[in-house]
Amino acid sequence: LSPDAARLVVIDTNVALHQLDLLAHAAVTDVVVLSVVLDECRARSKVSYERLRGLCKDPSKRFFVFANEHHRDTYVKTLPGESPNDRNDRAIRVATQFYSRALPSKRVVLLTNDRGNLRHAKEEGIDAVSVRQFASEHAASAPELADVVAAAPIDDGEDGAEGGAKGDGPAAKRTKTGSGGGRAKIFAEHLSLSAITA
């Protein structure tokens, strides 16, 4: 951790898997990659795992791997009826709280695109933001961060697209297509050649 770092970022698995272009940006430094996140990333995407490991090896990025599963203050046991994903999300929040206590002079922020994890973090008093919020917070010093944010909305689907009632950001332009509702349009379709020449 750089002594002049204004903040420390703890990332969750969703960010590690889907926001690697943002993490690779020169403006994103002083990041904690928890062992639970690294393990989940390895299990779900070898390409993302290798790229994240490369970021951790780059000394200019200052990405640090923290073995939260082997630390007495950050290890969490699975609660009865708790899914592995919920347990891992809780472990990430516990580790974020640990860093907040250990570094009281630094802003420790949890970076997540998981709506449930974001909600629980805020309920627990953790400074947590979505990837779009993170990019907008750094718009003055690195306006291009917004361009490298992957188009994926906040995970969960409980409350619709990212941004909720605010309707901000590209995800607000999404509309469901087809009866299955699986794919979403981000922008209006291009006009066909016959419509243009007519």
Side-chain angles (χ1 to χ4, degrees):
L1 180 64
S2 172
D4 60 337
R7 49 105 185 102
L8 183 67
V9 178
V10 179
I11 61 170
D12 76 350
T13 307
N14 193 309
V15 172
L17 288 170
H18 305 295
Q19 302 294 339
L20 285 166
D21 288 340
L22 176 102
L23 294 176
H25 191 278
V28 181
T29 57
D30 301 302
V31 174
V32 174
V33 180
L34 303 173
S35 60
V36 69
V37 169
L38 213 50
D39 291 344
E40 247 188 300
C41 195
R42 179 179 36 218
R44 292 175 61 187
S45 172
K46 183 76 168 161
V47 173
S48 296
Y49 171 75
E50 292 299 331
R51 192 163 174 207
L52 185 60
R53 291 287 299 170
L55 291 172
C56 292
K57 291 176 185 176
D58 183 353
S60 68
K61 293 294 292 172
R62 297 188 303 269
F63 276 44
F64 304 97
V65 177
F66 176 61
N68 65 300
E69 296 291 279
H70 304 288
H71 193 284
R72 71 171 179 247
D73 293 332
T74 57
Y75 175 76
V76 297
K77 289 185 179 182
T78 304
L79 299 174
E82 186 176 44
S83 73
N85 184 57
D86 289 343
R87 183 255 176 220
N88 290 344
D89 286 350
R90 189 165 53 87
I92 293 165
R93 293 191 305 272
V94 166
T96 304
Q97 290 171 323
F98 168 77
Y99 271 101
S100 293
R101 288 189 308 272
L103 301 168
S105 63
K106 303 277 184 203
R107 177 183 180 208
V108 179
V109 62
L110 172 60
L111 185 60
T112 179
N113 255 13
D114 181 316
R115 188 182 308 278
N117 200 15
L118 189 62
R119 185 184 71 247
H120 286 301
K122 290 187 178 198
E123 288 170 358
E124 295 169 12
I126 297 170
D127 185 0
V129 296
S130 72
V131 174
R132 288 222 180 272
Q133 290 169 316
F134 182 82
S136 65
E137 283 180 11
H138 296 84
S141 60
E144 62 280 357
L145 273 182
D147 296 335
V148 294
V149 172
I154 285 186
D155 221 11
D156 183 323
E158 285 178 358
D159 303 320
E162 177 185 0
K166 290 180 187 175
D168 57 351
K173 298 176 186 129
R174 295 177 188 275
T175 57
K176 293 291 182 183
T177 60
S179 59
R183 299 191 61 159
K185 287 185 196 177
I186 297 176
F187 301 101
E189 292 183 24
H190 292 283
L191 295 175
S192 66
L193 182 58
S194 60
I196 292 171
T197 56

